[in-house]
Amino acid sequence: MKQIALYGKGGIGKSTTAANLSAALAGEELDILQIGCDPKHDSTRMLMHGTWIPTVLDLIRERGDEKITVDDVVYRGFRGVRCVEAGGPEPGIGCAGRGIIATFQLLERLDALKGDVIVYDVLGDVVCGGFAMPMREGYAQEVYLVTSGELMSIYAANNIAKAIARLSRRVRSRCTLGGVICNAKNIEGERDLVEEFARRINSRLIAYVPRDRGVQIAELHRQTVVEYAPGSDQAAVYEELGRTIYGNRTTSIPTPLDMDELESFALEFVQV
């Protein structure tokens, strides 16, 4: 079983990337489980044709975890991808990371953490204890950083690389960095920038996902690109990403940049 996690800045496109990745992998006749680890609980929505599935944390609040079954939390989406949403607390109340912890505990009890590939889609702006749990507890064995060429996106990716480097020293943790995915924003020189960033943190660019209006159109139709436009160039990008990640055997312990190095790096690529 291959367990991967997509981390990155909020709004960078992790959920779109994760859903299309899962759809592409399922097209290879693989058993895929995607777990949304974000309080927005929208990770699996395009796989579910727009349906907002019940979150684990909501169900626990309503019933208590002892009365919850697999069918209550695991839903079949496009191509049979099994979908789970951790959820989160009411805004302004409680710890958002608690939803992730509760979800993993419940799925373990229900023996639902299985398949050929598990895809964890994790919020990455703040790598607190809850959001770091997939890495810290040995679930996310390969972490993929989703970023663009924007400085704050690179900054968030670098912070996550710091967490991977720190957690990789723990006995229980088995997380390593699988690579960097550039989800493009059409910034001049963006591919070169992200590729060089990956190199400097001891990793590599494993995919460049171009910005394409077809993604928005597919999501307006409540579908992944892989489902809505299966013969499109953009669908081919996600399919190639799936093959690359599934076949990836090269991971690393990152060497994140300090703040001065990060700012100097950014200046090298920005015309001022």
Side-chain angles (χ1 to χ4, degrees), residues 15 17-36 43-49 53 73-85 112 114-120 224 226-227:
S15 293
T17 304
N20 279 283
L21 170 62
S22 291
L25 288 168
E28 300 292 325
E29 298 186 354
L30 296 171
D31 179 15
I32 310 300
L33 171 64
Q34 180 167 322
I35 304 176
S43 175
T44 61
R45 189 165 170 248
M46 295 304 110
L47 290 165
M48 295 298 303
H49 298 137
I53 64 175
V73 293
V74 181
Y75 291 78
R76 293 270 179 184
F78 175 62
R79 285 179 172 169
V81 175
R82 291 175 293 126
C83 301
V84 176
E85 291 286 353
K114 57 188 178 182
D116 295 313
V117 182
I118 301 179
V119 178
Y120 303 103
T224 61
V226 172
E227 179 178 10

Side-chain angles (χ1 to χ4, degrees), residues 24 26 32-33 54 62 73 77 92 96 121-122 133 144 155 162 168 175 183-184 202 223 228 231 256 266-267 269:
I32 310 300
L33 171 64
E62 292 167 8
V73 293
D121 176 15
V122 192
M133 184 191 176
Y144 291 88
Y155 176 80
K162 290 179 182 178
S168 66
C175 73
N183 198 38
N202 191 34
Q223 296 175 30
Y228 181 75
L267 282 171
F269 284 86

Side-chain angles (χ1 to χ4, degrees), residues 52-268:
W52 297 87
I53 64 175
T55 73
V56 171
L57 210 56
D58 281 345
L59 289 168
I60 290 175
R61 279 193 291 261
E62 292 167 8
R63 308 181 191 176
D65 58 2
E66 293 302 321
K67 297 182 180 179
I68 296 173
T69 68
V70 171
D71 291 338
D72 292 326
V73 293
V74 181
Y75 291 78
R76 293 270 179 184
F78 175 62
R79 285 179 172 169
V81 175
R82 291 175 293 126
C83 301
V84 176
E85 291 286 353
E90 293 296 321
I93 303 172
C95 170
R98 176 59 192 159
I100 300 173
I101 296 168
T103 296
F104 280 57
Q105 291 172 341
L106 179 64
L107 293 177
E108 287 272 24
R109 182 176 68 79
L110 296 175
D111 193 30
L113 280 175
K114 57 188 178 182
D116 295 313
V117 182
I118 301 179
V119 178
Y120 303 103
D121 176 15
V122 192
L123 180 67
D125 284 86
V126 181
V127 190
C128 73
F131 294 125
M133 184 191 176
M135 293 189 287
R136 191 182 65 244
E137 299 300 325
Y139 295 101
Q141 296 165 11
E142 292 176 28
V143 176
Y144 291 88
L145 302 178
V146 182
T147 185
S148 69
E150 295 171 317
L151 178 58
M152 292 313 296
S153 178
I154 293 285
Y155 176 80
N158 191 62
N159 268 348
I160 298 158
K162 290 179 182 178
I164 298 169
R166 186 177 300 114
L167 292 169
S168 66
R169 296 193 291 267
R170 294 169 59 104
V171 173
R172 189 166 182 176
S173 174
R174 290 174 288 168
C175 73
T176 55
L177 181 55
V180 179
I181 299 168
C182 179
N183 198 38
K185 299 289 187 183
N186 285 350
I187 298 170
E188 185 178 354
E190 188 169 23
R191 182 175 191 144
D192 290 341
L193 185 155
V194 176
E195 192 162 25
E196 178 61 14
F197 167 72
R199 188 189 70 78
R200 292 197 189 187
I201 64 168
N202 191 34
S203 188
R204 62 188 176 117
L205 179 70
I206 65 154
Y208 176 81
V209 182
R211 193 169 183 84
D212 191 293
R213 187 167 174 266
V215 175
Q216 183 181 18
I217 293 171
E219 292 187 345
L220 286 171
H221 286 85
R222 301 178 177 181
Q223 296 175 30
T224 61
V225 175
V226 172
E227 179 178 10
Y228 181 75
S232 65
D233 291 343
Q234 194 73 2
V237 169
Y238 291 121
E239 288 162 356
E240 180 60 26
L241 173 63
R243 287 189 290 269
T244 299
I245 287 179
Y246 189 65
N248 187 19
R249 299 294 181 268
T250 305
T251 62
S252 65
I253 304 302
T255 54
L257 308 177
D258 64 32
M259 199 59 204
D260 288 341
E261 290 173 324
L262 191 63
E263 290 178 346
S264 297
F265 165 73
L267 282 171
E268 291 177 33

